[in-house]
Amino acid sequence: MPEMTLVEAVNLALARAMEDDPDVVVLGEDVGINGGVFRATVGLQTRFGPERVLDTPLAELLISGLCVGMAAQGLKPVGEIQFMGFLYPCIDQLVNHASRIRNRTQGRLTCPMVLRTPHGAGIRAPEHHSESTEAMLAHIPGLRVVIPSSPERAYGLLLAAIRDPDPVVFLEPTRIYRAAKGEVEDDGEALPLDVAFVLRKGRDVTLISWGGMLKETMAAADALAADGIAAEVIDLATLKPYDEITVLGSVAKTGRCVIVHEATRTGGFGAEIAALIAERALTSLLAPVARVTGYDTIIPMARLEHHMMPSVDRIVTAARQACQFS
Amino acid sequence: MADGGLPVIARFEVRHRNYLAPDGSINRPLPAFASDTDLLTALYRAMMLLRNFDRKAVALQRTGRLGTYAVSLGQEAVSVGVASAMREEDVLLPSYRDNGALIWRGVKLEEILLFWGGDERGNHFSGPVRDFPFCVPVGSQAPHAAGVAYAFKLRKQPRVAVCMFGDGATSKGDVYEAMNFAGVHKLPVVFVATNNQWAISVPLRLQTGCETLAQKAIAAGFIGEQVDGSDVVAMRAAAEDAIAAARDGRGPRFIEAVTYRLGDHTTSDDALRYRSADEVQARWKEEPITRLRSYLVGQKMWSKAQEEQLAAECHERVEAAVERYLATEPRRPETMFDHLYAELPETYAAQRRELAGEGDA
Ligand SMILES: Cc1ncc(C[n+]2csc(CCOP(=O)(O)OP(=O)(O)O)c2C)c(N)n1
């Protein structure tokens, strides 16, 4: 199996989906000859033509709205938003149309679209390029929010997202676009949505994260193992709807939970998981649920951004505290 | 010279289309279809039905049996004229005030009542299956129309998307973004802006500094035409031309239908707060139904007996629809989860069971 980066796996999945299904259309700013600013769509236009890989005008609301129109007509559009900071004009379309057209027309019209966008900080990008506002999206009924953390899952989950009959926002962790490498077989096999992946088994503490932050989370699990603490690491992968069963099962086993995300804390998705555990697993808890998150501030520009993001140390400290709590 | 004698590199023009004068006389030779008595009377019947339906809907709202409702009073010619020029396989993307177009396309009156009565089943309507439901967030359906038209083009289907919105909507970026994209790709889409002079309480002159809305198409690279939106013959003719052009691959068109909203914005609005009764009174002289009737009667295409029969028919149709609407069994609460996703995720299935009173273990 060839080794590739996460962004190459995205490209491979797009190519595979377009090859398999003539209804798949890729659209966005610079996705054509330029292959996207992160090269996620490189080579697709040459292979599938400018009608199926189209460079749109510079208008994000339009990209998401076009996807709704195309999808309601039976195409499977995959829109690209260059950076998450430019996704906000699409919120109107996601909230008011994409996520609810099936429900409001009682199934007469559906919206099998995917909107892809880079997610998160850590690439020393300009302002507005480092957002991780997934909780806002995960709040929208009728939507799916998916975020891979490895090339293998990027390939399998993106294929699943494109084949899914409902709208999916697919968040691609920018920081590990090239840093994450792995073997990916182009077998056209999708991975399941709505299912969390247990990346590492352990009995002492549950670490839950998603996307780019799993890199630090896994490193923290290594450090804890050196201390004799066996951490179970869960990659949530789909945030909406998320796999409550795997979360609750793990916490019931370990009694301790640390949630890690780089998005700001207040109203972050970690709060949702903590609330679920408080409601449904309180009696198995041996320590308070902890959150290691970005701070409640605007994501700083390059020089300070790494202070905003949870470090391996912060995660290890939180997990140790949870284990020492009695 | 202030411009230093710089050469003019482009000039643009906007045309205005009108055939029937407010008194029903004709201003210029009518288009060919106007010799078809059946068609003209069908347009008339559709406008009358809509007016009767509107009156009843308001009465239902006033007596607490319908939610907020948006009437078409004074602008019946727009949606009826446009819809009558469409083919079944075209796709309509209506605003919330386009009842007339939906009815023409086969949506049942009781379905429209269900929608305004707060029941999503009204959107699962009996019209063409790919037509969009009413769009409430103003102008946000315009990008959908471009997407629909792109799908037609990609699949080489001779179909046209017809997108309707108000003058207020033309102030939104959504509409321009969609028109701009449609212009780039010469998409088979027709945008129809119903310029009824008011966006709730905001008059056109506060909505735009443009002389016409039609000229907005120029910036997107295609033809914008201003049409007398109270003249159903003009509306039908303009829509027919635009739809034919779009179908033949000649790209999008924009129609500004200039008309007047004689009623309140919706049943929860009181238009007297922002415009005078005199202004409205004056506009009654231009309204589309009397105008067409005067023409038809003058041409001996329509008689008093027909008028009486039509009134009875409209009454009957509307009353029967209201009866069916009121007799519709209520939805069970847990059905709010139906059609949320193709398959309901287990997490939400538990919430559905809770609503159904099937308490979870
Ligand atoms: C995006 C958006 N903003 C505000 C509203 C509230 N609103 C409903 S109708 C309306 C006026 C729309 O005017 P216009 O587009 O001219 O259409 P008309 O109602 O005259 O048919 C407003 C502001 C809305 N529905 N959508």
Side-chain angles (χ1 to χ4, degrees):
Chain A
M1 278 191 293
E3 166 141 314
M4 64 182 69
T5 63
L6 195 151
V7 71
E8 286 166 343
V10 166
N11 183 267
L12 193 66
L14 290 170
R16 162 62 66 166
M18 295 193 81
E19 188 69 52
D20 289 353
D21 184 350
D23 282 334
V24 176
V25 171
V26 167
L27 63 153
E29 294 156 15
D30 305 296
V31 298
I33 189 152
N34 196 37
V37 287
F38 285 103
R39 308 285 172 264
T41 57
V42 84
L44 297 179
Q45 194 179 59
T46 316
R47 198 161 150 199
F48 300 103
E51 291 205 310
R52 287 183 67 201
V53 182
L54 69 140
D55 278 318
T56 64
L58 209 169
E60 285 76 15
L61 184 163
L62 173 78
I63 295 169
S64 53
L66 283 173
C67 287
V68 175
M70 291 176 177
Q73 202 54 39
L75 295 182
K76 299 202 151 193
V78 184
E80 175 176 304
I81 301 298
Q82 279 183 350
F83 291 91
M84 197 161 185
F86 310 127
L87 177 95
Y88 305 116
C90 307
I91 298 284
D92 182 18
Q93 289 292 330
L94 292 173
V95 174
N96 284 323
H97 296 297
S99 63
R100 55 195 286 171
I101 197 161
R102 176 191 289 279
N103 186 256
R104 56 193 281 262
T105 64
Q106 299 291 287
R108 190 169 56 77
L109 296 177
T110 61
C111 194
M113 65 178 269
V114 177
L115 199 62
R116 303 174 32 244
T117 191
H119 171 274
I123 58 158
R124 308 182 69 79
E127 272 186 289
H128 309 284
H129 287 63
S130 308
E131 314 298 294
S132 51
T133 38
E134 67 272 15
M136 201 171 63
L137 300 167
H139 194 61
I140 304 174
L143 210 60
R144 274 195 163 73
V145 180
V146 177
I147 179 165
S149 64
S150 72
E152 181 204 1
R153 283 185 291 283
Y155 177 84
L157 291 174
L158 183 52
L159 278 182
I162 296 170
R163 290 171 194 167
D164 192 81
D166 291 307
V168 179
V169 179
F170 196 79
L171 303 172
E172 298 167 3
T174 326
R175 193 158 51 89
I176 59 168
Y177 251 152
R178 295 205 162 71
K181 293 199 180 69
E183 292 189 342
V184 179
E185 191 175 355
D186 186 17
D187 54 5
E189 291 281 325
L191 285 170
L193 300 178
D194 310 352
V195 168
F197 298 89
V198 180
L199 300 188
R200 181 179 180 129
K201 291 223 173 266
R203 66 190 179 292
D204 297 328
V205 58
T206 300
L207 307 181
I208 301 175
S209 192
W210 49 89
M213 223 55 242
L214 274 159
K215 192 174 167 203
E216 284 71 18
T217 306
M218 287 297 276
D222 284 342
L224 290 164
D227 272 6
I229 296 174
E232 179 141 306
V233 178
I234 295 177
D235 172 3
L236 207 55
T238 304
L239 269 61
K240 175 86 174 183
Y242 72 106
D243 182 352
E244 299 179 351
I245 292 169
T246 297
V247 168
L248 291 170
S250 179
V251 174
K253 178 171 70 176
T254 63
R256 298 175 168 92
C257 182
V258 178
I259 303 155
V260 185
H261 61 65
E262 70 173 81
T264 56
R265 170 170 298 218
T266 305
F269 202 71
E272 161 58 36
I273 300 171
L276 173 82
I277 294 170
E279 283 172 357
R280 306 257 296 273
L282 188 65
T283 52
S284 41
L285 283 182
L286 303 169
V289 173
R291 284 181 288 165
V292 181
T293 70
Y295 298 102
D296 276 320
T297 179
I298 309 293
I299 172 90
M301 288 201 278
R303 293 189 183 186
L304 287 183
E305 66 177 344
H306 57 286
H307 289 290
M308 166 96 173
M309 292 172 353
S311 61
V312 176
D313 274 356
R314 278 170 66 195
I315 303 167
V316 167
T317 304
R320 274 206 196 109
Q321 277 170 358
C323 291
Q324 282 156 11
F325 189 91
S326 50
Chain B
M1 248 196 289
D3 62 7
L6 299 176
V8 173
I9 58 155
R11 279 204 178 86
F12 304 98
E13 53 193 23
V14 173
R15 294 185 185 273
H16 181 91
R17 191 193 297 245
N18 159 266
Y19 302 98
L20 294 184
D23 65 0
S25 60
I26 55 176
N27 287 328
R28 60 183 49 75
L30 299 188
F33 71 79
S35 53
D36 179 345
T37 306
D38 287 347
L39 176 55
L40 276 202
T41 53
L43 296 174
Y44 180 72
R45 286 166 178 281
M47 293 198 291
M48 279 297 275
L49 177 65
L50 179 57
R51 190 162 288 185
N52 277 269
F53 179 74
D54 270 351
R55 197 180 303 129
K56 185 68 189 188
V58 172
L60 289 173
Q61 190 277 337
R62 298 286 184 240
T63 50
R65 290 174 294 171
L66 197 71
T68 303
Y69 179 79
V71 297
S72 304
L73 191 65
Q75 32 186 102
E76 292 89 348
V78 181
S79 55
V80 168
V82 169
S84 75
M86 293 175 71
R87 289 190 192 157
E88 158 103 19
E89 68 268 24
D90 296 337
V91 164
L92 175 73
L93 298 102
S95 173
Y96 47 79
R97 207 185 293 286
D98 297 311
N99 288 320
L102 269 76
I103 297 169
W104 185 281
R105 286 179 70 70
V107 177
K108 293 181 180 149
L109 299 183
E110 58 267 33
E111 290 169 328
I112 294 175
L113 291 172
L114 271 177
F115 173 80
W116 293 102
D119 189 325
E120 281 84 356
R121 287 175 299 184
N123 274 335
H124 191 279
F125 53 58
S126 330
V129 72
R130 292 285 183 189
D131 276 11
F132 275 59
F134 292 119
C135 185
V136 173
V138 160
S140 60
Q141 71 276 39
H144 306 163
V148 168
Y150 193 88
F152 294 162
K153 192 174 174 199
L154 188 72
R155 291 170 161 174
K156 303 191 177 12
Q157 298 171 330
R159 300 165 70 190
V160 179
V162 176
C163 183
M164 307 189 65
F165 42 78
D167 44 285
T170 63
S171 300
K172 277 191 77 195
D174 313 34
V175 171
Y176 176 69
E177 291 184 25
M179 286 170 55
N180 181 55
F181 180 79
V184 168
H185 291 277
K186 300 221 175 321
L187 297 182
V189 52
V190 176
F191 299 99
V192 181
T194 306
N195 176 3
N196 65 7
Q197 313 303 322
W198 294 91
I200 310 187
S201 66
V202 179
L204 189 71
R205 67 174 188 281
L206 295 183
Q207 201 66 245
T208 176
C210 286
E211 218 173 317
T212 68
L213 296 178
Q215 74 202 59
K216 295 197 172 199
I218 294 168
F222 50 91
I223 296 172
E225 184 184 38
Q226 195 178 69
V227 179
D228 185 334
S230 306
D231 171 2
V232 74
V233 175
M235 279 312 303
R236 156 97 191 190
E240 215 171 56
D241 284 359
I243 290 171
R247 203 183 309 282
D248 292 357
R250 281 179 282 145
R253 291 279 186 94
F254 182 91
I255 293 172
E256 173 188 0
V258 183
T259 178
Y260 192 84
R261 161 162 67 74
L262 291 170
D264 292 331
H265 169 69
T266 62
T267 47
S268 30
D269 175 52
D270 173 11
L272 285 173
R273 289 168 56 87
Y274 50 82
R275 64 187 195 185
S276 71
D278 287 351
E279 173 184 319
V280 180
Q281 206 46 47
R283 295 293 194 141
W284 267 100
K285 295 191 180 66
E286 295 167 16
E287 68 92 10
I289 294 187
T290 316
R291 185 184 303 208
L292 181 60
R293 186 193 303 126
S294 307
Y295 174 75
L296 291 174
V297 170
Q299 297 296 307
K300 309 258 182 292
M301 287 169 145
W302 192 248
S303 67
K304 199 163 174 206
Q306 279 173 302
E307 183 73 23
E308 276 164 18
Q309 202 195 335
L310 175 62
E313 263 171 42
C314 288
H315 179 78
E316 208 171 300
R317 251 189 94 178
V318 171
E319 289 303 321
V322 169
E323 240 168 74
R324 285 190 293 271
Y325 159 65
L326 293 174
T328 307
E329 287 290 317
R331 284 173 71 192
R332 295 175 51 79
E334 68 274 18
T335 62
M336 70 174 75
F337 277 102
D338 294 354
H339 310 291
L340 184 62
Y341 296 90
E343 203 178 317
L344 193 63
E346 179 48 34
T347 318
Y348 311 130
Q351 294 180 25
R352 190 186 192 280
R353 287 194 291 274
E354 181 185 321
L355 260 171
E358 292 165 16
D360 253 29

